[in-house]
Amino acid sequence: MLSMFRASVGGLRGQTQRRLYSTNYSHLTSSKQALIPTSGTYPLGFRAGGVHCGVKKNGNKDVALVISDRPCSGAAVFTTNAFKAAPVLVSQATLAENSNALFGVVTNSGCANAVTGAQGLENAKRMRNTVDSLVKHPMSALTMSTGVIGQQLPIEKIEAGIRDAYNSLSKEHDDGWMKCAEAFMTTDTFPKLRTGQFDLDGKTVTMAGISKGAGMIHPNMATLLGFMVTDAQVEPALLKKALKYAADRSFNSISIDGDMSTNDTIAVLANGASGAKIETEGPAYEVFRDQLTAFAADLAQLVVRDGEGATKFVTIHVKGAQTFEDAKQAASHISTSMLVKTALYGQDANWGRICASLGHSGIPVDASKVSVNFVPTDGTEKLKLMITGEPEVVDEDRASEILKMEDLIIEVDLGQGQSETKFWTCDLSHEYVTINGDYRS
């Protein structure tokens, strides 16, 4: 049994881009264009599509649909925001009644259907019911929406769009999956689509996934919108357990602005078309869980690389913690510090802000044991900032060189144990304020 994940596109660097709400990507830097896949190998039995139905005024795609030709087991993690959007509530209800005979995921962009009361719930159910009528199975689909909060869906347009998307479903990259990924986009500058394969007990298992998000990103049980599909057969309880494990180490380990959306949903469907089966916990389950985690991390990192106004992709690596939970709490706290993020944007090696954030993160900290380093991603030597509580004489020129790089690792060693985690974030720029100051205009 091999555990070799083969992703179609690796992670590359991102840069600040004006949010043009466009599916023409020629204005992007070459590093961002390289994040957009030109081909992919997709799971057996799944087809995808995306169309424009009229939610977005600019003519961009706004309805996405993925359908399996056979029943799927399903699982999802959702926002813990008190203002859960209607599609979140409807998807939770769908999974509670049917987690082993799902057929798809339907999504609209441009309107979040959040804080929309009874009418919003009815509209989300109508989205699911439209899919039910097409696949001829009840409770067949999970629903997602993204966009402006507090506005009702133009549901008749969306119902027509779902039917159009169903009629144009394709298993191909350009005609199906890329169109689907584009239909997820709001302030995203590029579609976030990935495929990958790994070997499981002599069978080739394929995964595909789409994520979206560029702002209002900070996790708690889930974050942003996204889904993954696979042609492995996985029992629903095991799929739910694997997704929770994966989300905690991927989508729950990213932050752009510290805000949690009303619509956060990450879902996974497994249809068994490859013949690979995961029916009990054991080696096969662990391989699947770890591959799902790696795949989810790749999708999650794309969101950070497309962070609104972001000029840097920053990995917060906290190690030497007593527990995984402590490491994650510390990393999360540092990643959302406005002082840390603005210093990164200004290329200021003000590492004291990292210590200050760690010091009130809520975990046990012994300042005399803490070490902090900047780790460049070009393979050159790390820059030591503080070692076991003692400040180093910092080479400011070298620090400036590292902070000019688009990718940076901040390594924090708590010196207390063996647990560690990584959290992915970005800097905070003037552009972020500009984007969110005129989001509805």
Side-chain angles (χ1 to χ4, degrees), residues 318-342:
V318 174
K319 60 184 185 178
Q322 294 179 13
T323 66
F324 169 78
E325 290 75 18
D326 280 355
K328 186 174 179 182
Q329 185 172 329
S332 174
H333 201 266
I334 294 168
S335 77
T336 55
S337 166
M338 295 298 102
L339 291 177
V340 171
K341 293 164 76 72
T342 51

Side-chain angles (χ1 to χ4, degrees), residues 177-326:
W177 291 91
M178 183 56 70
K179 289 181 178 179
C180 184
E182 289 177 339
F184 268 71
M185 296 168 62
T186 54
T187 60
D188 308 69
T189 63
F190 62 89
K192 299 167 181 66
L193 169 65
R194 287 291 179 266
T195 64
Q197 293 183 313
F198 62 96
D199 300 321
L200 185 66
D201 288 339
K203 305 258 196 262
T204 298
V205 175
T206 306
M207 290 183 180
I210 293 171
S211 61
K212 72 82 49 198
M216 198 178 282
I217 303 297
H218 189 75
N220 194 347
M221 292 300 292
T223 185
L224 56 103
L225 287 189
F227 71 90
M228 296 167 283
V229 294
T230 178
D231 51 19
Q233 177 181 318
V234 189
E235 290 299 308
L238 293 178
L239 191 63
K240 182 177 181 179
K241 184 175 182 178
L243 178 61
K244 175 63 168 62
Y245 181 94
D248 281 345
R249 291 156 178 81
S250 58
F251 292 108
N252 278 350
S253 293
I254 64 174
S255 182
I256 290 174
D257 50 20
D259 255 337
M260 183 199 304
S261 169
T262 54
N263 293 57
D264 299 343
T265 303
I266 300 297
V268 60
L269 301 181
N271 72 1
S274 69
K277 296 182 180 181
I278 300 152
E279 299 173 307
T280 60
E281 289 193 54
Y285 165 76
E286 291 177 1
V287 169
F288 174 80
R289 178 199 67 191
D290 292 347
Q291 297 296 343
L292 184 69
T293 300
F295 191 75
D298 194 17
L299 281 171
Q301 289 173 40
L302 288 177
V303 176
V304 179
R305 292 189 180 280
D306 199 23
E308 291 172 345
T311 69
K312 297 190 188 309
F313 177 83
V314 183
T315 301
I316 310 293
H317 182 191
V318 174
K319 60 184 185 178
Q322 294 179 13
T323 66
F324 169 78
E325 290 75 18
D326 280 355

Side-chain angles (χ1 to χ4, degrees), residues 44-219:
L44 299 172
F46 286 98
R47 293 176 297 151
V51 300
H52 170 70
C53 77
V55 179
K56 294 177 182 174
K57 298 177 182 178
N58 60 6
N60 287 343
K61 299 177 188 70
D62 47 25
V63 170
L65 185 63
V66 173
I67 294 293
S68 172
D69 64 9
R70 65 196 71 195
C72 303
S73 59
V77 286
F78 300 97
T79 184
T80 57
N81 194 305
F83 288 95
K84 290 180 177 63
V88 169
L89 296 173
V90 169
S91 289
Q92 287 178 321
T94 300
L95 278 173
E97 186 170 329
N98 176 24
S99 63
N100 60 2
L102 294 164
F103 281 82
V105 178
V106 60
T107 305
N108 79 272
S109 58
C111 179
N113 192 13
V115 199
T116 48
Q119 184 61 52
L121 282 171
E122 180 61 26
N123 288 340
K125 290 176 184 177
R126 286 177 64 173
M127 288 177 64
R128 183 190 63 197
N129 293 344
T130 302
V131 178
D132 291 348
S133 68
L134 294 168
V135 302
K136 301 186 178 2
H137 290 276
M139 306 290 280
S140 66
L142 302 180
T143 57
M144 301 183 188
S145 297
T146 178
V148 177
I149 294 171
Q151 297 181 359
Q152 296 291 348
L153 294 175
I155 190 61
E156 290 81 10
K157 291 181 178 179
I158 290 175
E159 288 173 323
I162 294 170
R163 290 189 287 269
D164 288 346
Y166 184 83
N167 290 330
S168 63
L169 288 172
S170 172
K171 64 181 180 179
E172 302 300 326
H173 176 79
D174 289 331
D175 291 337
W177 291 91
M178 183 56 70
K179 289 181 178 179
C180 184
E182 289 177 339
F184 268 71
M185 296 168 62
T186 54
T187 60
D188 308 69
T189 63
F190 62 89
K192 299 167 181 66
L193 169 65
R194 287 291 179 266
T195 64
Q197 293 183 313
F198 62 96
D199 300 321
L200 185 66
D201 288 339
K203 305 258 196 262
T204 298
V205 175
T206 306
M207 290 183 180
I210 293 171
S211 61
K212 72 82 49 198
M216 198 178 282
I217 303 297
H218 189 75

Side-chain angles (χ1 to χ4, degrees), residues 336-403:
T336 55
S337 166
M338 295 298 102
L339 291 177
V340 171
K341 293 164 76 72
T342 51
L344 290 168
Y345 174 68
Q347 301 176 7
D348 179 8
N350 193 342
W351 54 270
R353 294 181 176 182
I354 300 168
C355 295
S357 179
L358 173 64
H360 69 103
S361 62
I363 69 161
V365 175
D366 183 342
S368 68
K369 294 181 179 179
V370 175
S371 299
V372 180
N373 303 296
F374 284 164
V375 183
T377 56
D378 61 359
T380 56
E381 187 176 356
K382 68 175 66 175
L383 180 65
K384 297 177 181 179
L385 305 171
M386 183 176 75
I387 303 299
T388 57
E390 295 293 332
E392 295 287 293
V393 178
V394 176
D395 182 341
E396 293 292 343
D397 290 338
R398 176 61 178 149
S400 180
E401 288 176 0
I402 295 173
L403 289 170

